[in-house]
């Protein structure tokens, strides 16, 4: 076993009983495509790791935020498992020094590419799970994430409900699924109040009011987050 892999296990806090699992987790598909001697890449492990990671973080967020409704919990979880965040987690682990890539991938950014790092991080989580089971994997994940409320404070500012809602909606429904429309404007010129309706796929989702259009939109987004997902969401 190389010194690089030994150091990675130390950073993970787990020594593998079956080191071949970790080896596969660190093997990019380009290696299999370009080297007939290599049989497996990390694609299947990535699929499993995504599910395991989601479960661990869902369980932990449920424990940490007992007052949150489903929408708020989903938003928090998305912030911690989206691609950009997982690639950042992989960099914290210095995973790029361990990933094997083929010549074609090396020419396109190699192990430093965000997508490569994200996939490898999920695959490593799956490898730990297959090697040692759920409880050990949970301990590894929570050790890597550390103070989850602090991480959320860094990536999910409370003053950006529109951005948080867009992050929830965009992966499955695209960038144009949400629309804000001013429904009414009341009050004198110096004391206007705006009422904004938030539409999800042309369906009224929430209403917000505020002394500016922006504040009314934020109020509507905040209300939608609190009640997410809407009934009948496809």
């Amino acid at each position: 076993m190389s010194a690089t892999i030994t150091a990675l296990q130390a950073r993970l806090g787990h020594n593998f009983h079956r080191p071949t699992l970790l080896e596969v987790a660190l093997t990019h598909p380009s290696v299999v495509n370009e080297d007939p001697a290599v049989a497996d890449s990390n694609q299947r492990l990535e699929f499993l790791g995504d599910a395991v990671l989601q479960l661990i973080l869902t369980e932990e967020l449920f424990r940490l935020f007992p007052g949150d409704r489903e929408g708020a919990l989903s938003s928090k979880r998305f912030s911690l498992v989206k691609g950009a965040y997982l690639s950042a987690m992989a960099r914290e682990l210095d995973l790029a020094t361990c990933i094997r890539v083929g010549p074609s991938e090396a020419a396109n950014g190699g192990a430093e590419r965000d997508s490569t790092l994200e996939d490898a991080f999920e695959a490593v989580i799956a490898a730990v799970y297959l090697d040692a089971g759920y409880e050990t994997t949970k301990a590894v994940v929570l050790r890597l994430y550390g103070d989850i409320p602090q991480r959320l404070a860094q990536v999910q500012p409370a003053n950006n409900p529109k951005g948080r809602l867009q992050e929830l909606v965009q992966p499955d429904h695209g960038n144009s699924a949400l629309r804000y429309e001013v429904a009414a404007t009341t009050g004198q010129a110096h004391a206007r109040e705006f009422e904004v309706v938030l539409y999800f796929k042309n369906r009224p989702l929430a209403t917000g009011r505020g002394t500016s259009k922006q504040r009314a939109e934020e109020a509507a987004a905040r209300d939608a987050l609190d009640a997410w997902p809407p009934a009948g969401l496809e």
Side-chain angles (χ1 to χ4, degrees), residues 153 156-164 214 218 222:
Q156 193 185 47
N159 62 352
N160 186 21
K162 291 177 64 178
R164 288 158 55 200
Q214 177 67 22
E218 289 174 352
R222 195 174 292 111

Side-chain angles (χ1 to χ4, degrees), residues 166 169-170 173-179 198-202:
Q166 183 66 25
V169 171
Q170 191 275 332
H173 304 285
N175 291 320
S176 58
L178 296 175
R179 186 177 85 257
L198 167 58
Y199 291 88
F200 172 68
K201 293 185 172 180
N202 296 318

Side-chain angles (χ1 to χ4, degrees), residues 142-154:
L142 295 184
R143 187 184 308 114
L144 293 177
Y145 273 83
D147 188 332
I148 287 179
Q150 182 178 355
R151 284 187 177 272
L152 286 169
Q154 294 170 349

Side-chain angles (χ1 to χ4, degrees), residues 81-128:
V81 299
K82 61 184 178 182
Y85 202 82
L86 293 188
S87 61
M89 293 291 295
R91 289 189 171 91
E92 289 182 21
L93 262 178
D94 199 19
L95 214 52
T97 61
C98 309
I99 299 172
R100 295 193 298 164
V101 299
S104 62
E105 182 67 13
N108 287 318
E112 292 290 346
R113 290 179 65 187
D114 283 354
S115 59
T116 301
L117 287 165
E118 173 192 349
D119 293 349
F121 183 83
E122 291 176 332
V124 167
I125 298 304
V128 176

Side-chain angles (χ1 to χ4, degrees), residues 40-227:
D40 294 317
S41 75
N42 62 12
Q43 284 184 308
R44 281 172 55 82
L45 287 176
E46 172 207 341
F47 170 77
L48 176 61
D50 173 66
V52 173
L53 184 62
Q54 294 251 5
L55 176 58
I56 291 169
L57 291 174
T58 298
E59 185 179 43
E60 187 66 6
L61 289 168
F62 187 85
R63 183 187 71 82
L64 286 171
F65 301 97
D68 277 11
R69 297 176 64 177
E70 181 184 0
L73 289 170
S74 296
S75 179
K76 286 180 171 68
R77 183 181 60 192
F78 178 77
S79 295
L80 297 174
V81 299
K82 61 184 178 182
Y85 202 82
L86 293 188
S87 61
M89 293 291 295
R91 289 189 171 91
E92 289 182 21
L93 262 178
D94 199 19
L95 214 52
T97 61
C98 309
I99 299 172
R100 295 193 298 164
V101 299
S104 62
E105 182 67 13
N108 287 318
E112 292 290 346
R113 290 179 65 187
D114 283 354
S115 59
T116 301
L117 287 165
E118 173 192 349
D119 293 349
F121 183 83
E122 291 176 332
V124 167
I125 298 304
V128 176
Y129 173 73
L130 292 175
D131 190 63
Y134 179 76
E135 290 302 325
T136 295
T137 310
K138 180 178 177 180
V140 168
V141 168
L142 295 184
R143 187 184 308 114
L144 293 177
Y145 273 83
D147 188 332
I148 287 179
Q150 182 178 355
R151 284 187 177 272
L152 286 169
Q154 294 170 349
V155 299
Q156 193 185 47
N159 62 352
N160 186 21
K162 291 177 64 178
R164 288 158 55 200
L165 182 62
Q166 183 66 25
E167 283 186 340
L168 275 178
V169 171
Q170 191 275 332
D172 293 325
H173 304 285
N175 291 320
S176 58
L178 296 175
R179 186 177 85 257
Y180 299 84
E181 286 190 5
V182 176
T185 305
T186 58
Q188 300 297 319
H190 64 280
R192 292 287 191 205
E193 181 176 78
F194 295 83
E195 179 180 316
V196 166
V197 177
L198 167 58
Y199 291 88
F200 172 68
K201 293 185 172 180
N202 296 318
R203 162 188 167 188
L205 185 62
T207 300
R209 293 177 176 81
T211 55
S212 69
K213 180 182 175 183
Q214 177 67 22
R215 289 181 179 177
E217 290 177 351
E218 289 174 352
R222 195 174 292 111
D223 187 59
L225 281 169
D226 287 342

